[in-house]
Amino acid sequence: MKKEYTNIGKSALRIDGKEKLSGAAIYTDDIDFGPNLLYAEIVESPYAHAIIKNIDYSEALKVPEVITVVTGKDFPYQFGLYMKDRHIFPQKKVRFVGEQVAAVVARCPKVARRAAKLVKVEYEELEAVISQIDAAEDKPKTIVHEDLGNYWHVPWFFPRANTNIAHWRKIRKGEPDKAFKGAAYILDDTYNVPRYSHCPIEIHVAVGKYDLSGRLTIWASSQSPHTQRHVFAEALAPLGLKHGNIRVIAPHVGGGFGAKAGVTMEILAAAIATKVPGNPVKVLWTREREFYNTYQRLGVQARLKIGVDKTGKILALHHELLWDAGAYVEYGANVVNAVGLSAIGPYKIDNVSIDSVCIYTNLPPGGAYRGFGYSEFLFGLESHMTRIAKHLGLDPIAIRRVNAIKEGDTTAYGAKMNPNGLHKAIEAVEKEIDWYGKHTTNNPNKVIGKGFSLLWKAPAMPPNASSACFLKFNEDASINLLVSGMDIGQGYLTVMAQIAGEILGVPTSKIRSENPDTDRNPYEWQTVASHITWSSGNAVKKAAIDARNQIFDLIVRTKYLPKDELYLEDEKVKCHTNPNFELALKDFVVDGIQTKDGTYKGGPILGKGTFLPEFSTTKSNPETGQGGHPNVHYTVGAAAMIMEIDKNTGKIKILKAVEAIDCGKAINPDLVNGQIVGGLVQGLATVLYEDMRYSEKGKLLNPNFTDYKIPTAKDIPDVIVPIIVEVPQPDGPFGARGMGEHTMLPAAPMVANAVEDALGVRITSMPITAEKVIMTMIKEGKYKD
Amino acid sequence: MKKIVIKLNGETRYTHVEPNDTLLDILRDNLGATSVKSGCERGDCGACAVLLQGESVRSCLIFAVEADGQAVETIEGMSKDRKMSDLQTAFHEKNAFQCGFCAPGTIISTVELLKENPQPEKAEIQEAIAGNLCRCTGYSTIIDTVKEFSEKK
């Protein structure tokens, strides 16, 4: 008989809830760093592209309480995650508006801000390249990185020296040219997706302290403490700093969404601290800077050509994606890579060509953003699928059923698709939204539209991205779980506690886990890629099994019971073959077990577990992308919505949205539902409200919440129904796989499809604002006054 | 520098402020009320909401000297007998938060709403918390929590 789970699949209360709701939770900027605290204020470039001729900070140094001013001359060091294309401060030229060229360090933030205005920087303005289409030319007028050919990068990137092309991911599978010739219908069109900003409510902040013994500690609002330590160690190696000398402490995080992955402004706290030994130095961004000097979601222009037969079966796909990756692509190039591998969407397609091209521009650096490129390409792909269905007279769901990928089908790069519940998700959404029902409105000014979209996404990670866990028991059989993933709001720590509790027969509420300190907690790559439940969960499960083994071994040694018959339940060890035996964990997990001669056996129970996906490899043919196993698995899902549009104003109101995701196993269903609802609203925001506007000179015009509108409580669908599908992931903890980012993915194409359903106009660029709806109707002669 | 007095969560506190210090600055830096968060410093996000004389305000938009002699309430003052208030507990039980950064401000707005309107409609709840930006939850759980909480009371 299969044992019922005690902790898994239960909506356990979040273990960080009381802290966050009582006011106890300490975020980075809440820490008291004492009377020696210094503040750094940066001097920003007003130009998108300019040579730095001279920096004169003599006037700033004269201001009382200014300690020092630092510039690129102080730190001629490169850094970057997947490609070292950045310096801590730019060396010869600036590459985007707002880039830091110097920092003033003072005892008081107001003094630092005032003194920063006294720094005189002499520039020679260069022509900036703002459009990635201009930048992508073979012999571009403007080259953003003259040294591109010399930068270190991961082996799966293919930069082209003397151009702005930082990486070009190619996929070639089957014979697309031949297959297109046999197609009954080909749809070929171009889609545009602008840049977006993450907008965590907590602004980036980092504090660095280089103490008098030579140890460097950084407190940061971070998704990536260990990766940050690694990047700091690499960048500051010339100063004699190594991993062992650097410690990153990550308190609570007020939202991440990819913005706090990798390293952006945190490098300033680490570097500047080395110039003021003994004094902690705080670098606190403003909301404006949060918009233009962290990462942004990359913009893309995607040309998509799909050929189908009469039944709607896809015969061939060509996807050409030109990415506006910004001034530095040390993280963003991997977004481009991830999309190159996966831009077929969740479909079985035998003939494929994909070109995903990472292009430097003089806009702020592009980087990780929830969805990691998939939202962007799915806008075109899922718009295309509905358009093709319409042309063939098929139902939009029917055409997806014909093509939806199944377990064992080959992906674009030749590996096999993992077990998945895509068809189940389609069915669940179809039913919940009442897809074939009649949806009407009584208001003559309004029309109803319905939209559908599939989604898929894989974690984008290096093949050796690993997780680890230490687990220690306390005297009362409570547990401290030491892991280094980050609870950025998704509920990661609670889920890890549920996994450990399940194995050890301990309630989730008795397990304590906190965000990490790299000196004390074991390694974790980063909290990105929606891999953390899967990867860290596997490490936690192994640590708990290790602890359980130690417990059982001790019982065998002291009680002479058969190990195979022992089990843990209700915080006790029990034995199947000896129902009279039970021993409370609290009686021995620290103190050991006393034997007849008065001696003790055992001692504190300490479990450890590590996980690395040993089957993953990025080794493949650079011209075809075939041969490797770069993605560990895909998570899939489906979504649909019913909207009401005002024919006169174009204003959209979403009456109902449904999203089903196959997370393998929902370890905490409430938290999964929370991700679906929150992520879907964030996705809807990118299509309905948000839009980064730049001047011709590359200056962001709307870096605040007044002009860059994120949704309020009034801007959400009337009803959102999250649906959990569970087709287990064979190598996941209790069958779980990630789903946090996926929740955003179907929002934009679903809206575009519903708008066309309602009004008969197809919009191929995001966002789809009321204004754009009406302008498109006017242009196509469909607007009636 | 001017010495001011604030009744913070029932306790009389004295502190010295600069003319351009905001109430947000001194609550966090001088008086240790770190649940009050800074998210935009221009009144857009609501993370710094506190009750000033019982009414919710954005503490980033108020100079500290303006609050001289007045009562300020933050969520640090809501726990009684080492237990969170019923409203805070409801937020916990219904997962009406994720990263937790906007939660203090949202709870402040909710307290004010329920004081004036103990049985609010959904739209009234949406209106009351529309000034508290949350990027994680999509608001649904917050709205449902407040509705359910008010109906139980």
Side-chain angles (χ1 to χ4, degrees):
Chain A
M1 193 186 81
K2 207 181 153 201
K3 200 174 149 252
E4 291 260 318
Y5 291 134
T6 53
N7 301 41
I8 300 297
K10 314 283 180 199
S11 294
L13 277 185
R14 287 183 67 129
I15 63 173
D16 55 351
K18 281 187 188 169
E19 270 176 85
K20 287 177 172 174
L21 295 163
S22 65
I26 297 295
Y27 297 73
T28 302
D29 196 38
D30 300 338
I31 300 172
D32 184 351
F33 289 95
N36 284 347
L37 182 62
L38 297 169
Y39 299 84
E41 177 66 24
I42 62 161
V43 178
E44 301 179 327
S45 166
Y47 298 110
H49 198 193
I51 294 168
I52 304 167
K53 304 275 281 187
N54 186 45
I55 303 177
D56 174 4
Y57 49 80
S58 52
E59 290 303 312
L61 279 178
K62 288 180 194 161
V63 177
E65 290 196 297
V66 167
I67 306 295
T68 187
V69 179
V70 293
T71 71
K73 285 191 178 143
D74 294 286
F75 306 107
Y77 317 134
Q78 281 175 291
F79 77 97
L81 188 62
Y82 292 107
M83 174 187 272
K84 289 196 174 67
D85 67 350
R86 287 196 84 159
H87 284 82
I88 296 166
F89 291 94
Q91 299 294 295
K92 293 179 195 140
K93 60 178 195 175
V94 291
R95 294 184 175 86
F96 68 94
V97 175
E99 184 168 15
Q100 65 272 16
V101 292
V104 176
V105 183
R107 279 284 161 215
C108 157
K110 287 171 187 168
V111 170
R113 277 200 289 274
R114 210 158 58 231
K117 292 196 176 109
L118 301 174
V119 176
K120 295 188 200 82
V121 187
E122 203 185 313
Y123 296 97
E124 180 187 324
E125 194 179 356
L126 300 170
E127 192 166 333
V129 59
I130 305 301
S131 150
Q132 77 268 36
I133 310 304
D134 298 340
E137 288 168 13
D138 283 345
K139 293 202 169 76
K141 261 199 294 185
T142 297
I143 293 208
V144 182
H145 287 262
E146 290 83 357
D147 295 332
L148 175 58
N150 302 323
Y151 292 155
W152 173 90
H153 58 82
V154 290
W156 65 87
F157 283 1
F158 307 103
R160 296 187 174 184
N162 305 314
T163 75
N164 289 314
I165 294 171
H167 175 41
W168 189 315
R169 167 54 60 190
K170 285 186 189 175
I171 292 285
R172 301 288 182 268
K173 180 186 165 191
E175 296 177 277
D177 290 343
K178 204 172 135 193
F180 274 120
K181 283 185 189 134
Y185 175 58
I186 295 172
L187 180 60
D188 186 347
D189 205 353
T190 299
Y191 298 88
N192 278 288
V193 182
R195 289 169 163 248
Y196 289 99
S197 179
H198 311 71
C199 302
I201 309 301
E202 181 200 29
I203 295 166
H204 273 69
V205 56
V207 177
K209 182 180 176 183
Y210 182 76
D211 73 19
L212 297 172
S213 77
R215 292 268 304 153
L216 177 63
T217 303
I218 291 96
W219 293 260
S221 175
S222 169
Q223 294 177 234
S224 313
H226 280 86
T227 285
Q228 290 185 336
R229 182 181 70 173
H230 180 63
V231 172
F232 298 155
E234 284 190 332
L236 301 175
L239 298 175
L241 284 160
K242 296 184 174 139
H243 296 78
N245 312 115
I246 302 175
R247 175 181 187 185
V248 176
I249 297 175
H252 284 295
V253 177
F257 315 108
K260 293 166 183 169
V263 171
T264 58
M265 54 78 81
E266 303 83 3
I267 195 88
L268 296 173
I272 295 169
T274 64
K275 296 289 177 188
V276 287
N279 296 274
V281 58
K282 181 182 285 188
V283 186
L284 172 61
W285 254 201
T286 59
R287 176 55 65 185
E288 289 207 342
R289 252 170 225 158
E290 185 70 28
F291 275 94
Y292 60 66
N293 195 354
T294 60
Y295 292 127
Q296 296 177 358
R297 196 168 108 175
L298 287 68
V300 71
Q301 178 178 305
R303 185 192 153 198
L304 176 59
K305 184 176 160 189
I306 291 181
V308 293
D309 70 13
K310 277 186 295 193
T311 67
K313 183 175 161 22
I314 302 173
L315 302 177
L317 169 145
H318 173 65
H319 215 159
E320 187 184 293
L321 302 113
L322 302 178
W323 295 89
D324 157 23
Y328 302 102
V329 305
E330 46 88 25
Y331 205 147
N334 210 43
V335 173
V336 174
N337 192 68
V339 169
L341 296 170
S342 300
I344 55 169
Y347 298 113
K348 178 183 184 293
I349 308 177
D350 295 331
N351 303 292
V352 177
S353 81
I354 298 170
D355 294 276
S356 188
V357 187
C358 180
I359 304 157
Y360 282 120
T361 61
N362 289 117
L363 291 179
Y369 182 117
R370 190 180 201 172
F372 214 68
Y374 286 69
S375 291
E376 294 89 308
F377 85 76
L378 282 169
F379 174 62
L381 181 61
E382 285 301 287
S383 294
H384 238 58
M385 291 304 286
T386 292
R387 295 170 71 182
I388 292 169
K390 190 178 172 189
H391 180 88
L392 297 178
L394 295 171
D395 181 83
I397 295 185
I399 193 172
R400 286 169 170 95
R401 276 212 172 92
V402 169
N403 294 290
I405 199 161
K406 293 192 180 88
E407 180 182 358
D409 287 342
T410 27
T411 59
Y413 47 84
K416 297 288 179 208
M417 179 62 185
N418 51 281
N420 69 87
L422 185 55
H423 285 267
K424 286 185 180 179
I426 293 171
E427 196 180 324
V429 167
E430 182 181 46
K431 195 172 156 207
E432 176 59 40
I433 201 81
D434 186 16
W435 184 255
Y436 308 103
K438 233 181 149 41
H439 304 280
T440 54
T441 171
N442 297 327
N443 188 329
N445 292 323
K446 306 252 166 108
V447 269
I448 299 287
K450 61 179 184 178
F452 188 88
S453 173
L454 296 186
L455 64 102
W456 89 332
K457 185 187 176 294
M461 322 186 292
N464 60 341
S466 64
S467 297
C469 172
F470 290 141
L471 182 154
K472 66 187 180 78
F473 269 102
N474 301 310
E475 292 89 331
D476 61 347
S478 64
I479 292 170
N480 290 114
L481 208 51
L482 282 82
V483 287
S484 289
M486 291 299 302
D487 202 312
I488 52 176
Q490 79 285 52
Y492 156 75
L493 292 174
T494 304
V495 166
M496 293 305 111
Q498 288 179 259
I499 290 172
E502 181 67 41
I503 301 285
L504 293 166
V506 173
T508 304
S509 59
K510 278 190 81 170
I511 300 175
R512 177 94 195 125
S513 191
E514 292 187 357
N515 283 334
D517 166 342
T518 57
D519 262 15
R520 293 174 186 167
N521 295 42
Y523 184 80
E524 169 58 54
W525 171 59
Q526 303 190 81
T527 300
V528 299
S530 302
H531 84 124
I532 202 80
T533 294
W534 173 77
S535 179
S536 185
N538 273 327
V540 168
K541 192 176 170 199
K542 284 186 179 179
I545 290 171
D546 181 29
R548 187 177 66 186
N549 267 325
Q550 293 172 35
I551 290 169
F552 290 169
D553 286 343
L554 181 61
I555 300 297
V556 171
R557 281 172 67 202
T558 55
K559 306 289 178 191
Y560 313 108
L561 291 166
K563 187 173 176 183
D564 291 349
E565 299 298 335
L566 297 173
Y567 64 101
L568 298 173
E569 190 176 76
D570 300 333
E571 303 179 60
K572 293 175 186 126
V573 195
K574 297 182 182 177
C575 181
H576 290 295
T577 49
N578 186 351
N580 294 327
F581 171 80
E582 63 172 46
L583 192 61
L585 293 175
K586 68 178 169 50
D587 291 341
F588 69 92
V589 284
V590 170
D591 293 336
I593 293 177
Q594 195 174 27
T595 52
K596 280 179 188 159
D597 65 0
T599 61
Y600 283 82
K601 306 293 179 232
I605 302 291
L606 297 171
K608 77 168 176 65
T610 63
F611 177 74
L612 186 149
E614 293 187 345
F615 57 89
S616 183
T617 170
T618 54
K619 276 199 171 176
S620 63
N621 181 336
E623 291 306 315
T624 65
Q626 301 300 311
H629 199 313
N631 289 337
V632 291
H633 55 251
Y634 286 90
T635 296
V636 298
M641 67 159 58
I642 306 286
M643 64 161 62
E644 185 183 76
I645 314 186
D646 189 310
K647 282 189 285 186
N648 301 317
T649 65
K651 195 170 160 54
I652 291 169
K653 181 172 173 56
I654 294 161
L655 305 177
K656 182 170 179 175
V658 179
E659 184 172 24
I661 297 193
D662 176 14
C663 60
K665 174 72 191 171
I667 292 177
N668 186 320
D670 257 14
L671 295 180
V672 172
N673 288 338
Q675 285 299 299
I676 293 178
V677 174
L680 189 59
V681 168
Q682 193 176 357
L684 290 171
T686 63
V687 59
L688 297 175
Y689 311 119
E690 299 175 22
D691 189 6
M692 295 190 111
R693 299 287 181 99
Y694 287 92
S695 75
E696 285 171 9
K697 291 270 197 179
K699 183 176 161 61
L700 181 63
L701 299 173
N702 55 341
N704 59 66
F705 289 142
T706 316
D707 302 312
Y708 184 95
K709 283 294 203 192
I710 71 169
T712 73
K714 293 164 77 176
D715 305 314
I716 58 171
D718 285 353
V719 179
I720 301 176
V721 181
I723 298 174
I724 294 170
V725 175
E726 294 180 318
V727 173
Q729 178 63 29
D731 60 2
F734 301 96
R737 65 171 85 76
M739 54 72 63
E741 293 169 272
H742 307 74
T743 55
M744 275 188 78
L745 305 178
M750 201 160 60
V751 167
N753 291 339
V755 167
E756 188 185 40
D757 182 51
L759 300 171
V761 293
R762 171 55 61 174
I763 296 176
T764 55
S765 66
M766 287 171 63
I768 300 178
T769 56
E771 179 191 3
K772 194 184 278 178
V773 168
I774 295 300
M775 294 307 284
T776 309
M777 288 180 71
I778 292 171
K779 214 169 90 189
E780 297 190 8
K782 288 179 176 158
Y783 186 77
K784 293 182 186 71
D785 277 315
Chain B
M1 293 286 252
K2 178 180 160 62
K3 189 175 177 185
I4 64 166
V5 58
I6 284 180
K7 196 162 210 178
L8 178 60
N9 295 321
E11 183 189 345
T12 303
R13 302 278 298 264
Y14 296 91
T15 186
H16 288 89
V17 303
E18 299 272 4
N20 60 353
D21 281 342
T22 64
L23 179 58
L24 169 64
D25 293 334
I26 66 119
L27 284 172
R28 289 179 55 80
D29 299 340
N30 300 12
L31 301 173
T34 54
S35 78
V36 187
K37 303 299 188 199
S38 173
C40 69
E41 293 187 292
R42 50 183 278 157
D44 285 331
C45 78
C48 67
V50 299
L51 295 175
L52 181 67
Q53 300 289 80
E55 280 183 31
S56 80
V57 296
R58 278 130 212 274
S59 61
C60 73
L61 295 181
I62 290 184
F63 287 119
V65 289
E66 295 178 78
D68 190 8
Q70 302 195 48
V72 173
E73 289 162 79
T74 68
I75 68 162
E76 280 94 341
M78 287 178 68
S79 291
K80 296 279 180 291
D81 299 328
R82 294 181 290 151
K83 279 206 176 101
M84 291 196 298
S85 68
D86 292 345
L87 178 64
Q88 287 163 302
T89 303
F91 268 64
H92 189 197
E93 285 170 355
K94 303 289 293 179
N95 277 320
F97 70 99
Q98 285 183 23
C99 80
F101 200 79
C102 73
T106 305
I107 291 172
I108 289 292
S109 296
T110 307
V111 168
E112 185 187 43
L113 167 72
L114 296 179
K115 205 163 53 183
E116 292 165 4
N117 181 0
Q119 302 277 319
E121 294 301 320
K122 182 183 174 190
E124 292 171 324
I125 298 168
Q126 286 174 292
E127 184 69 40
I129 62 167
N132 299 94
L133 296 180
C134 170
R135 193 59 151 172
C136 298
T137 62
Y139 303 103
S140 296
T141 52
I142 302 175
I143 298 163
D144 294 347
T145 300
V146 176
K147 188 95 177 84
E148 232 174 84
F149 177 81
S150 65
E151 281 163 1
K152 260 196 227 159
K153 279 271 137 182

